[in-house]
Amino acid sequence: MIRCIRHTAAFTFLLLVALLVNAARVQVFEAEGYAGNTANRRVPIARYDKPRGAVLVAGSPVTGSRDSGGRLRYERTYTEGPLYAPVTGYSSQTYGTSLLERAEDGILSGADDRLATFPWWDHLTRTHRAGGSVHTTINPKMQRAAFDGLGGKKGAVAAVEPRTGRILALVSTPSYDPGELSGNSPAVSEAWRRLNGAEQRPMLNRALRQTYPPGSTFKVVTAAAALESGKVTDIEARTDSPDPYTLPGTATQLGNAARGCEDAPLKDAFRVSCNTVFARLGAEIGLRGMVDAARRFGFNDRRLRIPSLVAPSNFDTRMDPSQVALSAIGQYDTAATPLQMAMVSAAVANGGQLMPPYLVDKVTDARGVMVAAGPHRPTREAMGPATAQQLQDMMIDVVAHGSGRRAAIKGLTVGGKTGTAQHGVRNEGTPYAWFISWAREKDTYEPTVAVAVVVEDAAADREDISGGGSAAPIARAVMAAAG
């Protein structure tokens, strides 16, 4: 009898060990596999069992959570959703997350280990932490000024603080309400189909994800390349620039919309936007020099995140001389996001130093304790300070005496550059209106803001589209709101 009991006890012990080994295999070694399985409903149920952390603008939340009473309990809500959609993105039980909601999902959902005092214990006990908060760099007055300025037009605005890289405004219109995508009801699916199928593409973040031909605003980069390379040593000396200019290696002649461009000095050519002068300069600088100049301003950077991913702005690295000449005036395949062109303007205003842009000032836990500060990335020298000073003078001249007069603000020194970018087959599409600018207090060299505005307005007559007419007033409103 005792022998049988011993055998039974030994067998039971072996069964217990096997059970523990299997439990360890499931809970430790295969936990991630089970957690990531789409059939596992416990993960989304736990994820939405507590309110999501908030995205804040100037200390006030622009997102919240609503108790739906369903199995996926808490749904995302948005304060002034269309205004801040290009910043927050959406958080949906059905369609996932986008933009800041995606980039900072670990903090907002509570999954980030930085929110835990003892992460190993939370992993062991499967504790679901309360979501933290994401504090953005957005200035609400500037955001509103940009949104109202664009109105019903298709376009975008990006504004940055040149000295720090803080993004002060990020607007894309037409916009949408991310709250329509919260939850998992049939209405959410219908809203998703409607928004994605809309001709105006309201869910496209034009400030970060859409690239446009920058047109004459790219002449800031070409002017910097000409001055840095020594192709131009005196911005007021006459250049050897024919009008019209025959593109190298072709019989194609390039003309100007402005008068007085033949042999115009760089400063005058910049003010009235002479295509011939800048195309010739681009061809003289050459492919390598132009590519290097564009890269210093941030073009062709596929790693830029703010922390949301930003579409890379393009300056081709393989072109013949005629294509380089066209690229130097913002045509051919040159393309830029509004954020990229705000970076160009900021580098000029900041004495040639380009600060990487960022959107998150800090993140805090549910108690308000700071978990991480904003990023501290190394600066990039886009140009020397002497070149930046000359470009500042030329941009000030555009606002004081050129096509950027509508951007002038009393009491501030404002520099700008207009642009009208052709596109479409044979350039038959309605041109995009560009304006890039910066502002600072008079009698100081401390820039307060740099702005880029692009307007796509298919309803306007062709002659009414211009950077100075359509985009400059919007930039002015945004710069004025920075004070």
Side-chain angles (χ1 to χ4, degrees):
M1 178 66 73
I2 294 176
R3 182 178 173 185
C4 290
I5 292 174
R6 286 176 179 171
H7 287 168
T8 302
F11 181 67
T12 303
F13 178 74
L14 289 175
L15 290 177
L16 180 61
V17 170
L19 181 64
L20 291 173
V21 169
N22 186 62
R25 177 183 64 84
V26 171
Q27 300 254 349
V28 178
F29 299 104
E30 297 184 11
E32 290 188 9
Y34 283 111
N37 193 309
T38 55
N40 183 3
R41 298 292 293 165
R42 294 174 63 89
V43 174
I45 289 172
R47 175 184 174 87
Y48 296 108
D49 189 51
K50 292 184 179 180
R52 189 170 173 84
V55 176
L56 292 91
V57 171
S60 298
V62 296
T63 63
S65 295
R66 180 181 68 87
D67 190 348
S68 68
R71 294 191 71 189
L72 304 182
R73 183 173 173 185
Y74 284 96
E75 298 177 355
R76 198 59 152 162
T77 61
Y78 295 87
T79 303
E80 298 186 279
L83 175 63
Y84 292 109
V87 176
T88 63
Y90 60 80
S91 176
S92 168
Q93 280 97 326
T94 307
Y95 298 107
T97 55
S98 70
L99 298 178
L100 204 54
E101 293 274 27
R102 171 175 291 181
E104 296 291 351
D105 183 67
I107 292 292
L108 296 168
S109 67
D112 196 304
D113 284 343
R114 290 176 295 176
L115 297 172
T117 305
F118 302 106
W120 60 270
W121 177 254
D122 286 354
H123 283 295
L124 183 64
T125 60
R126 297 288 189 268
T127 299
H128 186 73
R129 297 181 287 268
S133 296
V134 175
H135 302 249
T136 71
T137 58
I138 294 295
N139 179 316
K141 292 182 179 179
M142 296 174 67
Q143 184 80 359
R144 172 59 68 181
F147 188 79
D148 291 346
L150 284 168
K153 303 181 185 73
K154 287 169 67 177
V157 176
V160 301
E161 189 174 65
R163 292 289 190 188
T164 63
R166 299 172 73 245
I167 296 174
L168 303 175
L170 204 63
V171 170
S172 175
T173 56
S175 189
Y176 72 104
D177 184 358
E180 291 190 80
L181 302 178
S182 299
N184 55 3
S185 68
V188 171
S189 300
E190 173 56 32
W192 180 263
R193 286 192 296 270
R194 172 172 49 80
L195 291 171
N196 279 282
E199 183 180 354
Q200 300 279 40
R201 302 178 71 191
M203 293 182 68
L204 172 64
N205 190 326
R206 292 174 167 85
L208 300 179
R209 302 285 176 83
Q210 180 68 35
T211 59
Y212 302 87
S216 293
T217 59
F218 190 80
K219 291 171 183 174
V220 174
V221 178
T222 304
L227 291 166
E228 289 285 280
S229 66
K231 297 296 181 183
V232 175
T233 56
D234 182 353
I235 63 174
E236 298 191 21
R238 296 187 68 79
T239 58
D240 181 17
S241 305
D243 184 9
Y245 169 65
T246 303
L247 295 176
T250 74
T252 303
Q253 290 191 323
L254 181 69
N256 296 290
R259 294 181 179 178
C261 288
E262 184 173 357
D263 298 331
L266 183 64
K267 185 174 182 179
D268 294 343
F270 191 89
R271 183 181 64 252
V272 300
S273 209
C274 296
N275 286 336
T276 52
V277 174
F278 284 90
R280 187 191 66 83
L281 280 173
E284 282 195 0
I285 295 164
L287 176 61
R288 181 175 295 181
M290 286 301 302
V291 168
D292 183 57
R295 280 177 174 164
R296 289 200 302 270
F297 279 96
F299 282 79
N300 299 336
D301 184 357
R302 299 185 177 278
R303 299 171 299 173
L304 180 60
R305 286 169 170 75
I306 61 167
S308 306
L309 180 66
V310 180
S313 296
N314 180 67
F315 190 87
D316 279 1
T317 57
R318 294 183 179 181
M319 293 184 283
D320 63 36
S322 67
Q323 293 166 340
V324 174
L326 289 174
S327 296
I329 59 174
Q331 295 184 18
Y332 188 54
D333 282 342
T334 305
T337 62
L339 179 61
Q340 171 62 67
M341 295 314 295
M343 292 164 61
V344 169
S345 185
V348 174
N350 196 34
Q353 297 296 313
L354 177 60
M355 301 296 295
Y358 65 96
L359 185 58
V360 176
D361 247 344
K362 62 179 179 179
V363 294
T364 59
D365 63 16
R367 298 167 296 171
V369 177
M370 189 169 73
V371 171
H376 297 283
R377 299 169 184 161
T379 61
R380 175 188 300 162
E381 184 174 84
M383 73 202 96
T387 297
Q389 181 61 60
Q390 290 174 299
L391 275 168
Q392 288 176 23
D393 292 342
M394 290 192 289
M395 293 181 76
I396 291 170
D397 191 38
V398 168
V399 175
H401 306 111
S403 56
R405 290 185 181 92
R406 297 185 68 181
I409 303 172
K410 187 177 180 180
L412 297 179
T413 298
V414 178
K417 182 71 185 80
T418 57
T420 305
Q422 308 290 337
H423 71 104
V425 178
R426 298 179 182 176
N427 289 333
E428 292 174 353
T430 303
Y432 300 134
W434 276 96
F435 191 74
I436 64 173
S437 60
W438 50 266
R440 67 182 184 225
E441 297 287 339
K442 287 190 180 294
D443 304 321
T444 180
Y445 289 96
E446 183 80 24
T448 55
V449 61
V451 181
V453 178
V454 64
V455 178
E456 315 170 41
D457 194 348
D461 293 332
R462 190 181 190 91
E463 58 268 25
D464 291 336
I465 290 281
S466 71
S470 300
I474 300 172
R476 181 187 188 279
V478 175
M479 291 186 291

